[in-house]
Amino acid sequence: MGKSSELSGFYKLPVTDRVKTLKEFVGLSEEEAALLQKPGALGFDAANRMVENVIGVMPVPMGVAVNFLINGRDLVVPMAIEEPSVIAAASNAAKMSRPKGGFHATTTEPVMIGQIQVVGIKDPNRARFEILAQKAEILKHANAQDPVLISLGGGARDLEVRIIETSQGTMVIAELLVDCRDAMGANAVNTMAEAVAPLIEKISGGRVYLRIISNLAVKRLARAKAIFTKEALGGADVVDGIVNAYAFAAADPYRCATHNKGIMNGVTAVVLATGNDTRAIEAGAHSYAARLGRYTSLTTWEKDESGDLVGTLEMPMAVGLVGGATASNPIAKIAVKILGIKTARELAEIIVSVGLAQNLAALRALAAEGIQRGHMGLHARNVAISVGATGDLIDKVAAQMVAERKVRMDRAKELLAELSKS
Ligand code: NAD
């Protein structure tokens, strides 16, 4: 029988003792334990304050995408991601956008929705009316929770009330609309939603259960647009191929999941590099893509009257520059510095531009040459490294596998054995 994973008192141990416990529990080598304890820039003290039961830090490569011209400003964009090709593809697409002025991006005000769920109401329309009638009082109480946010020009702006039918009967959902300024806002909004819940119970006569932010941030959207000339893309055929690839994604959820995943390759990498909440953005993206009742593309691609390709991306973008890991991770702070930005809205505009670039790169590769060609070179290097190739041998093994169109571990092992002899 295996050992129980109920490591009682684990959380009370210092980090070194946690690693020791884990080393014994799963049989880690000295080397592995030492590696875990080499966290790099994010020190143990910081990591230990961020989450629970810390035993190490998971490093992810961070690179920068180049060639970006966004709203008339040239910039390099930090991207943290483990997948090869993504940063190169974004840089390549950014380059192709330049002849027509790069990316143009806008954002709405940074307004998040906080939901308050009220149950047990017989006359929901009466309750809705009464909650709305007391809107000023409810907003005042919400705003009393966060004087800092108010002083910065943010705060609860409005209140909406919806009635929904559920398997547990009719529910009344009150929604606080909160301008979060440069914060992602989950803590700020949740605090306000919790604070006004007793008032809403009193007014409605119902019982409040959940009080929580919604990641379907339809009031906090970011939009990007770019034009790619047919010359930059490689011809009129490529434009048609991309428009057709987009039509496939827009019509078919199986294709669209992968299409939107390609957008998120760029989006999530910047979100992660800046210490923002990747799950919040992913949840917002996919729920927004399905908001009309059918899952569809976050981007659009059209051919304009000159035969050039016009792309747009619109999605919720709840990112911040204060709070969460954005403030506590030194690498995230460096990433923000590299971007040279002062507001969360500027960050959101950069992120959607990268998402649009990433989608263009993937669609162009698919439509023009098949995705594997570009991917395979980098993938082959990773396969070579995974079978133990080092130094010059990495590129030699990789190049041979690509030439043979056999990028596989078994072939990498054979080639490594052959090439190390010679
Ligand atoms: P936070 O509470 O740490 O910081 C926000 C606060 O900072 C504001 O309320 C304000 O008082 C202050 N502030 C200072 N300068 C500001 C400025 N320029 N603009 C705005 N506010 C300023 O963080 P948060 O953004 O409220 O919450 C983000 C965290 O919540 C993330 O770590 C996220 O992972 C987590 N979270 C997410 C969810 C979700 O997405 N569903 C749920 C719960 C928690």
Side-chain angles (χ1 to χ4, degrees), residues 222-280:
R223 306 183 177 101
K225 186 202 82 174
I227 302 175
F228 300 86
T229 63
K230 52 185 178 305
E231 293 77 21
L233 290 168
D237 259 8
V238 180
V239 174
D240 289 337
I242 292 172
V243 173
N244 269 291
Y246 155 65
F248 179 12
D252 177 46
Y254 290 87
R255 168 63 206 135
C256 197
T258 313
H259 172 96
N260 286 343
K261 190 272 183 185
I263 298 169
M264 300 311 286
N265 275 342
V267 167
T268 303
V270 188
V271 171
L272 184 60
T274 54
N276 274 287
D277 184 335
T278 53
R279 291 82 52 214

Side-chain angles (χ1 to χ4, degrees), residues 112 146-150 152 179-191 212-215 275-277 279-281 320 322-326:
M112 298 298 290
D146 201 335
V148 176
L149 188 58
I150 306 304
L152 294 164
D179 183 326
C180 298
R181 295 287 93 197
D182 295 316
M184 181 267 172
N187 289 322
V189 171
N190 293 346
T191 304
I212 177 86
I213 198 165
S214 169
N215 291 108
N276 274 287
D277 184 335
R279 291 82 52 214
I281 300 301
V322 298
T326 54

